[in-house]
């Protein structure tokens, strides 16, 4: 009986730790091409992230995790989430550079994390 109890506790702990390994994967299949090739849509999301405009439900989710993603260099990102982040930030830089710089300052005001974040993304 004691062994069964220990085994169940081990399973519960394993499940909890596994869930914390990556961010929610429900957006892993978001149409990144449509997003990064649409400057108008990029601007809408940047306005959301910068608290200058309304957010879609997806935008609210991304806005909530962006500070941690930058601070931890996307350590809890799956490989597809890292590619998504790289392509998104590349598009922000290309199509809306002024807002990209504002977002960079908002997410990393002391400029301690962003370089590492971009380096990690460039390898994805």
């Amino acid at each position: 009986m004691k062994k069964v109890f220990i085994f169940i506790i081990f399973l519960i702990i394993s499940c909890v730790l596994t869930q914390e390994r990556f961010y929610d994967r429900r957006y892993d299949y978001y149409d990144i091409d449509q997003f990064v090739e649409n400057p108008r849509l990029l601007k809408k999301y940047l306005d959301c992230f910068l608290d200058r405009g309304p957010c879609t439900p997806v935008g609210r989710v991304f806005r909530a995790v962006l500070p941690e993603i930058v601070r931890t260099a996307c350590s809890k990102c799956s490989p597809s989430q890292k590619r998504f982040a790289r392509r998104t930030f590349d598009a922000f830089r290309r199509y809306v550079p002024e807002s990209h710089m504002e977002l960079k300052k908002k997410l990393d005001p002391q400029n301690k994390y962003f370089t590492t974040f971009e380096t990690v993304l460039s390898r994805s």
Side-chain angles (χ1 to χ4, degrees):
M1 182 71 172
K2 188 176 180 180
K3 288 181 182 182
V4 171
F5 179 73
I6 291 172
F7 180 72
I8 291 172
I9 295 296
F10 177 74
L11 280 177
I12 291 171
I13 291 171
S14 296
C15 288
V16 169
L17 292 176
T18 302
Q19 288 176 346
E20 289 296 316
R21 185 166 178 204
F22 295 121
Y23 291 109
D24 188 342
R25 298 188 83 161
R26 92 179 89 162
Y27 301 109
D28 281 7
Y29 304 102
Y30 191 78
D31 186 0
I32 187 66
D33 292 325
Q34 176 188 359
F35 181 68
V36 299
E37 294 171 4
N38 186 336
R40 190 176 132 274
L41 190 57
L42 287 169
K43 180 155 177 22
K44 291 261 186 218
Y45 273 87
L46 268 170
D47 286 345
C48 162
F49 299 158
L50 292 168
D51 301 315
R52 294 191 306 215
C55 291
T56 65
V58 173
R60 280 192 292 276
V61 170
F62 292 160
R63 182 178 64 186
V65 296
L66 273 175
E68 179 184 3
I69 288 172
V70 170
R71 191 174 53 256
T72 64
C74 222
S75 65
K76 288 175 27 180
C77 295
S78 68
S80 63
Q81 290 166 343
K82 286 180 182 178
R83 284 189 298 277
F84 183 95
R86 177 181 45 86
R87 292 199 54 208
T88 299
F89 276 87
D90 287 349
F92 286 161
R93 189 179 313 105
R94 184 174 351 133
Y95 292 116
V96 278
E98 306 82 25
S99 295
H100 172 260
M101 290 305 295
E102 284 181 63
L103 182 63
K104 187 175 172 179
K105 287 177 186 171
K106 177 182 179 181
L107 297 174
D108 186 14
Q110 297 173 344
N111 201 25
K112 294 181 353 184
Y113 308 107
F114 215 85
T115 302
T116 304
F117 168 70
E118 288 181 321
T119 301
V120 167
L121 291 185
S122 70
R123 297 181 195 143
S124 62

Coordinates of all heavy atoms in Angstrom, one line a residue, residues 87-120:
R87 N 10.1 34.8 -35.5 CA 9.5 35.4 -36.7 C 8.7 36.6 -36.4 O 8.7 37.6 -37.1 CB 8.7 34.3 -37.4 CG 9.6 33.3 -38.0 CD 9.0 32.4 -39.1 NE 8.4 33.2 -40.2 CZ 7.4 32.8 -41.0 NH1 6.9 31.6 -40.7 NH2 7.0 33.5 -41.9
T88 N 8.0 36.6 -35.2 CA 7.2 37.7 -34.8 C 8.1 38.9 -34.5 O 7.8 40.0 -35.0 CB 6.4 37.4 -33.6 OG1 5.5 36.3 -33.9 CG2 5.5 38.5 -33.1
F89 N 9.1 38.8 -33.7 CA 10.0 39.9 -33.4 C 10.7 40.4 -34.6 O 11.0 41.6 -34.7 CB 10.9 39.6 -32.2 CG 10.2 39.7 -30.9 CD1 9.5 38.7 -30.3 CD2 10.3 41.0 -30.2 CE1 8.8 38.9 -29.1 CE2 9.7 41.2 -29.0 CZ 8.9 40.1 -28.5
D90 N 11.1 39.5 -35.5 CA 11.7 40.0 -36.8 C 10.8 40.8 -37.6 O 11.1 41.8 -38.1 CB 12.2 38.8 -37.6 CG 13.4 38.1 -37.1 OD1 14.1 38.6 -36.2 OD2 13.7 36.9 -37.6
A91 N 9.5 40.4 -37.6 CA 8.5 41.2 -38.4 C 8.2 42.5 -37.7 O 8.1 43.6 -38.4 CB 7.2 40.4 -38.5
F92 N 8.2 42.5 -36.4 CA 8.0 43.8 -35.6 C 9.1 44.7 -36.0 O 8.9 45.9 -36.3 CB 8.0 43.6 -34.1 CG 6.8 43.0 -33.5 CD1 6.8 42.4 -32.3 CD2 5.6 43.0 -34.2 CE1 5.7 41.8 -31.7 CE2 4.4 42.4 -33.6 CZ 4.5 41.9 -32.4
R93 N 10.4 44.2 -36.0 CA 11.5 45.0 -36.3 C 11.5 45.6 -37.7 O 11.8 46.7 -38.0 CB 12.8 44.2 -36.1 CG 14.1 45.0 -36.1 CD 15.4 44.2 -35.9 NE 15.3 43.3 -34.7 CZ 15.1 42.0 -34.8 NH1 15.0 41.4 -36.0 NH2 15.1 41.2 -33.8
R94 N 11.1 44.7 -38.6 CA 11.0 45.1 -40.1 C 9.9 46.1 -40.4 O 10.1 47.1 -41.1 CB 10.9 43.9 -40.9 CG 11.0 44.1 -42.4 CD 11.0 42.8 -43.2 NE 11.1 41.6 -42.3 CZ 10.4 40.5 -42.4 NH1 9.5 40.4 -43.3 NH2 10.6 39.5 -41.6
Y95 N 8.7 45.8 -39.9 CA 7.5 46.6 -40.4 C 7.2 47.8 -39.5 O 6.6 48.7 -39.9 CB 6.3 45.7 -40.5 CG 6.4 44.7 -41.6 CD1 6.4 43.3 -41.3 CD2 6.5 45.1 -42.9 CE1 6.5 42.4 -42.4 CE2 6.6 44.2 -44.0 CZ 6.6 42.8 -43.7 OH 6.7 41.9 -44.7
V96 N 7.4 47.6 -38.2 CA 7.1 48.7 -37.2 C 8.2 48.9 -36.3 O 8.1 48.7 -35.1 CB 5.8 48.4 -36.5 CG1 4.6 48.8 -37.3 CG2 5.7 47.0 -36.1
P97 N 9.4 49.4 -36.8 CA 10.6 49.5 -35.9 C 10.4 50.4 -34.7 O 11.0 50.1 -33.7 CB 11.7 50.0 -36.9 CG 10.9 50.6 -38.1 CD 9.6 49.9 -38.1
E98 N 9.7 51.5 -34.8 CA 9.5 52.4 -33.7 C 8.8 51.7 -32.6 O 9.2 51.8 -31.4 CB 8.8 53.7 -34.1 CG 9.3 54.4 -35.3 CD 8.9 53.9 -36.6 OE1 7.8 53.2 -36.7 OE2 9.6 54.1 -37.6
S99 N 7.7 51.0 -32.9 CA 6.9 50.3 -31.9 C 7.7 49.1 -31.3 O 7.6 48.8 -30.2 CB 5.6 49.9 -32.5 OG 4.8 51.0 -32.8
H100 N 8.5 48.5 -32.2 CA 9.4 47.4 -31.7 C 10.3 47.9 -30.6 O 10.5 47.2 -29.6 CB 10.2 46.8 -32.9 CG 11.2 45.8 -32.5 ND1 12.5 46.1 -32.4 CD2 11.1 44.5 -32.1 CE1 13.2 45.1 -32.0 NE2 12.3 44.1 -31.8
M101 N 10.9 49.1 -30.8 CA 11.8 49.6 -29.8 C 11.1 50.0 -28.5 O 11.6 49.7 -27.5 CB 12.5 50.9 -30.4 CG 13.6 50.6 -31.5 SD 14.8 49.4 -31.0 CE 15.6 50.3 -29.7
E102 N 9.9 50.5 -28.7 CA 9.0 50.8 -27.5 C 8.8 49.5 -26.7 O 8.8 49.4 -25.5 CB 7.7 51.4 -27.9 CG 7.8 52.9 -28.2 CD 6.4 53.4 -28.6 OE1 5.5 53.4 -27.7 OE2 6.2 53.7 -29.7
L103 N 8.4 48.4 -27.4 CA 8.1 47.1 -26.8 C 9.4 46.6 -26.1 O 9.3 46.1 -25.0 CB 7.6 46.1 -27.8 CG 7.2 44.8 -27.3 CD1 6.1 44.9 -26.3 CD2 6.8 43.8 -28.4
K104 N 10.5 46.7 -26.8 CA 11.8 46.3 -26.2 C 12.0 47.0 -24.9 O 12.4 46.4 -23.9 CB 12.9 46.5 -27.2 CG 14.2 46.0 -26.9 CD 15.2 46.2 -28.0 CE 16.6 45.9 -27.6 NZ 17.5 46.0 -28.7
K105 N 11.8 48.3 -24.9 CA 12.0 49.1 -23.6 C 11.0 48.7 -22.6 O 11.4 48.7 -21.4 CB 12.0 50.6 -24.0 CG 13.2 51.1 -24.7 CD 13.0 52.6 -25.1 CE 14.2 53.0 -26.0 NZ 14.0 54.3 -26.5
K106 N 9.8 48.4 -23.0 CA 8.8 48.1 -22.0 C 9.1 46.7 -21.4 O 9.0 46.5 -20.1 CB 7.4 48.0 -22.6 CG 6.3 47.6 -21.7 CD 5.0 47.5 -22.3 CE 4.0 47.0 -21.3 NZ 2.7 46.9 -21.8
L107 N 9.5 45.8 -22.2 CA 9.8 44.4 -21.7 C 11.1 44.3 -21.0 O 11.3 43.4 -20.1 CB 9.7 43.4 -22.8 CG 8.4 43.3 -23.6 CD1 8.5 42.4 -24.8 CD2 7.3 42.8 -22.6
D108 N 12.0 45.2 -21.3 CA 13.4 45.1 -20.7 C 13.9 46.5 -20.5 O 14.8 46.9 -21.2 CB 14.3 44.3 -21.6 CG 15.7 44.0 -21.0 OD1 15.9 44.2 -19.8 OD2 16.6 43.6 -21.8
P109 N 13.4 47.2 -19.5 CA 13.7 48.6 -19.4 C 15.2 48.9 -19.0 O 15.8 49.9 -19.4 CB 12.9 49.1 -18.2 CG 12.1 48.0 -17.7 CD 12.4 46.8 -18.6
Q110 N 15.9 47.9 -18.4 CA 17.3 48.1 -18.1 C 18.2 47.4 -19.1 O 19.4 47.4 -18.9 CB 17.5 47.5 -16.7 CG 16.8 48.2 -15.6 CD 16.9 47.6 -14.3 OE1 17.3 46.4 -14.2 NE2 16.6 48.3 -13.2
N111 N 17.6 46.9 -20.2 CA 18.4 46.3 -21.3 C 19.3 45.2 -20.8 O 20.5 45.1 -21.2 CB 19.1 47.4 -22.0 CG 19.5 46.9 -23.4 OD1 18.9 46.0 -24.0 ND2 20.5 47.5 -24.0
K112 N 18.8 44.3 -19.9 CA 19.6 43.2 -19.3 C 19.3 41.9 -20.0 O 20.2 41.0 -20.0 CB 19.3 43.1 -17.8 CG 19.8 44.3 -17.0 CD 19.5 44.2 -15.5 CE 18.8 43.1 -14.9 NZ 18.6 43.2 -13.5
Y113 N 18.1 41.7 -20.6 CA 17.7 40.4 -21.1 C 17.5 40.3 -22.6 O 17.6 39.2 -23.1 CB 16.4 40.0 -20.4 CG 16.4 40.1 -18.9 CD1 15.8 41.1 -18.2 CD2 17.2 39.2 -18.2 CE1 15.8 41.2 -16.9 CE2 17.2 39.3 -16.8 CZ 16.5 40.3 -16.1 OH 16.6 40.4 -14.8
F114 N 17.3 41.4 -23.3 CA 16.8 41.3 -24.6 C 17.9 40.7 -25.6 O 17.5 40.0 -26.5 CB 16.3 42.7 -25.1 CG 15.2 42.5 -26.1 CD1 13.9 42.4 -25.6 CD2 15.4 42.5 -27.5 CE1 12.8 42.3 -26.5 CE2 14.3 42.4 -28.3 CZ 13.0 42.3 -27.9
T115 N 19.1 41.1 -25.4 CA 20.2 40.5 -26.3 C 20.2 39.0 -26.2 O 20.3 38.3 -27.2 CB 21.5 41.2 -25.9 OG1 21.4 42.6 -26.1 CG2 22.6 40.7 -26.8
T116 N 20.2 38.5 -25.0 CA 20.2 37.0 -24.8 C 19.0 36.4 -25.4 O 19.0 35.4 -26.1 CB 20.3 36.7 -23.3 OG1 21.4 37.3 -22.7 CG2 20.3 35.2 -23.1
F117 N 17.8 37.0 -25.2 CA 16.6 36.6 -25.8 C 16.7 36.5 -27.3 O 16.4 35.4 -27.9 CB 15.4 37.5 -25.4 CG 14.1 37.4 -26.1 CD1 13.3 36.3 -25.9 CD2 13.7 38.3 -27.0 CE1 12.1 36.1 -26.5 CE2 12.5 38.2 -27.6 CZ 11.7 37.1 -27.4
E118 N 17.2 37.5 -27.9 CA 17.3 37.5 -29.4 C 18.3 36.5 -29.8 O 18.2 35.8 -30.9 CB 17.7 38.9 -29.9 CG 16.5 39.9 -29.8 CD 16.9 41.2 -30.3 OE1 18.0 41.7 -30.1 OE2 16.0 41.8 -31.0
T119 N 19.4 36.3 -29.1 CA 20.4 35.3 -29.4 C 19.8 33.9 -29.4 O 20.0 33.1 -30.3 CB 21.6 35.4 -28.5 OG1 22.2 36.7 -28.6 CG2 22.7 34.3 -28.8
V120 N 19.1 33.6 -28.4 CA 18.4 32.3 -28.2 C 17.4 32.1 -29.4 O 17.4 31.0 -30.0 CB 17.7 32.1 -26.9 CG1 16.8 30.9 -26.9 CG2 18.7 32.0 -25.8

